[in-house]
Amino acid sequence: MQITLIRPDDWHLHLRDDEAIKSVVAHTAERFARAIVMPNLKPPVTTTAMAMAYRDRILSALPHNSDFTPLMTLYMTDRLTSDEVIVAKKSQIIKGIKLYPAGATTHSDAGVTDIRKLYPVLETMQREGLPLLIHAEVTDPDVDIFDREQVFIDRHLRPLTRDFPALPMVFEHITTRQAVDFVRANEGTVGATITVQHLLYNRNAMLVGGIRPHYYCLPILKRESHQSALIEAATSGESHFFLGTDSAPHPQHAKECACGCAGCYTAHAAIELYAEIFERANALDRLEGFASLFGPDFYGLPRNRDTITLAKKKWSIPESYQFGQDRVVPLGSGESVNWQLVR
Ligand code: NCD
Ligand code: ZN
């Protein structure tokens, strides 16, 4: 059995920098035509000039003959100005500005400390129609890690959608039923990406029988009822839910240690794993909308014209892949996948 889809895009991706880009971008470029590239480098990508230079580094790391377009983002800090927003919009290469609450996740220490201080900048983004991409988790030490997304909805997303009713927002990597409900209640301006790992697993995968660091990402995997809500949303055919892998490679030693960092690497088999999820939910006919149509529609970009084909044919995921000078352990390492990209 085979399925052919309009070539998909990845609306949330980490490519890192330097040598590491080369090791991971080929996996994405084989499967996806475009990807929204996250700006959480060290130092973060905060200006259009930095994003253009980063884009050039990505393009030169691509394998020959690959036809892949990185869509760039800026990292919002307390110091972002309306002038920079206007420059970004004019450049046509910046497709969104990413809001990381300070300290929420990997490389987010330069993130926003108080969103209200950025209201003038958000006004400009709304006027220019430049989407706000949100890592929606509070960082207060007194909020339980499993509740950080739903608390962010009440404390920050409700006010934001009330105060900026025409600002396009992407609620990134949603992980809870509350997030699904919020996106539905704000359809039209709010879209959401859903990752492979949050559809495939719940927190048991990470914690039962031993701590498994390769399932640790942020927002953290939640309980099974949330996983079911995400599967239902992704396979619903509703256009506000679309594909974003949040593939976030880290060197093996940085994850397999006493304080392992957050991020799952999924670029090696992303569309294949989504196919598996949709097949299991009896919704393969809805994969194309989720993977290839709703994202570009939300961002106001043309849909792709070429296609990819997946064959139902088992293959084994390697234990690890090259990652710069290191190795990265992919999601599903050593396990098998039922769908294979036809090359
Ligand atoms: C991401 C990373 O490693 O850059 N990690 C993650 O767990 N998702 C950052 C992010 O998107 O939160
Ligand atoms: Zn991410």
Side-chain angles (χ1 to χ4, degrees):
M1 183 166 109
Q2 293 200 334
I3 51 169
T4 294
L5 308 171
I6 292 181
R7 192 148 162 236
D9 303 302
D10 184 349
W11 300 96
H12 185 132
L13 177 67
H14 298 268
L15 285 176
R16 312 309 187 198
D17 209 345
D18 306 318
E19 272 292 279
I21 304 179
K22 232 194 186 98
S23 313
V24 296
V25 73
H27 281 151
T28 294
E30 245 191 318
R31 293 164 176 81
F32 298 99
R34 298 169 288 195
I36 287 275
V37 180
M38 289 295 141
N40 62 331
L41 302 183
K42 281 210 139 162
V45 179
T46 51
T47 64
T48 301
M50 290 172 87
M52 283 175 146
Y54 183 30
R55 183 172 181 273
D56 289 342
R57 298 197 293 280
I58 296 167
L59 291 174
S60 53
L62 280 170
H64 290 299
N65 304 324
S66 83
D67 172 22
F68 171 75
T69 306
L71 307 173
M72 308 309 291
T73 57
L74 295 188
Y75 187 112
M76 183 178 266
T77 70
D78 290 346
R79 288 173 306 285
L80 180 65
T81 62
S82 286
D83 288 348
E84 190 63 49
V85 170
I86 292 166
V87 170
K89 177 68 184 187
K90 270 220 186 82
S91 75
Q92 300 198 12
I93 69 149
I94 308 292
K95 300 301 180 195
I97 299 186
K98 180 75 188 279
L99 164 60
Y100 289 103
T105 186
T106 310
H107 301 167
S108 66
D109 22 297
V112 170
T113 58
D114 181 2
I115 186 73
R116 278 160 305 190
K117 289 193 199 136
L118 285 152
Y119 265 36
V121 167
L122 294 170
E123 288 289 353
T124 309
M125 289 172 66
Q126 178 168 256
R127 200 178 57 235
E128 299 284 326
L130 192 59
L132 178 67
L133 318 182
I134 307 172
H135 184 111
E137 285 194 288
V138 296
T139 53
D140 312 44
D142 52 319
V143 178
D144 189 277
I145 188 167
F146 291 101
D147 298 333
R148 288 182 173 194
E149 184 175 272
Q150 65 192 77
V151 172
F152 191 95
I153 295 173
D154 293 324
R155 283 196 198 162
H156 302 294
L157 285 183
R158 289 191 208 288
L160 275 176
T161 49
R162 180 194 63 219
D163 297 339
F164 300 96
L167 174 62
M169 297 183 206
V170 184
F171 191 159
E172 299 290 346
H173 40 50
I174 57 170
T175 64
T176 58
R177 175 179 298 283
Q178 288 83 354
V180 169
D181 293 344
F182 180 82
V183 173
R184 285 189 167 133
N186 290 276
E187 62 170 332
T189 49
V190 178
T193 50
I194 309 183
T195 75
V196 171
Q197 66 268 21
H198 293 104
L199 292 169
L200 275 179
Y201 305 111
N202 58 61
R203 62 197 190 182
N204 281 1
M206 180 177 59
L207 295 171
V208 172
I211 291 181
R212 296 165 205 270
H214 298 293
Y215 295 91
Y216 174 61
C217 67
L218 289 170
I220 200 159
L221 294 174
K222 306 297 191 299
R223 62 168 62 245
E224 198 263 348
S225 57
H226 292 297
Q227 180 194 1
S228 310
L230 297 175
I231 295 171
E232 187 274 323
T235 59
S236 65
E238 292 167 43
S239 61
H240 29 269
F241 300 112
F242 44 87
L243 185 157
T245 63
D246 192 20
S247 177
H250 289 277
Q252 183 168 8
H253 61 80
K255 291 202 55 87
E256 297 177 7
C257 60
C259 184
C261 52
C264 299
Y265 183 64
T266 53
H268 62 295
I271 191 64
E272 298 90 325
L273 290 169
Y274 282 110
E276 211 156 285
I277 294 154
F278 275 66
E279 183 186 29
R280 223 177 285 157
N282 252 319
L284 264 183
D285 57 322
R286 294 190 170 159
L287 179 60
E288 186 177 58
F290 176 80
S292 316
L293 309 180
F294 304 154
D297 293 357
F298 182 90
Y299 276 89
L301 295 169
R303 293 173 172 184
N304 296 317
R305 289 163 179 255
D306 50 340
T307 59
I308 60 162
T309 296
L310 298 173
K312 192 154 182 200
K313 201 166 148 221
K314 246 196 197 4
W315 60 287
S316 295
I317 297 176
E319 296 287 337
S320 68
Y321 292 100
Q322 185 76 33
F323 183 53
Q325 306 296 320
D326 294 294
R327 309 289 298 175
V328 57
V329 177
L331 197 78
S333 157
E335 293 171 18
S336 61
V337 190
N338 291 327
W339 290 89
Q340 192 166 132
L341 190 68
V342 177
R343 290 172 171 93

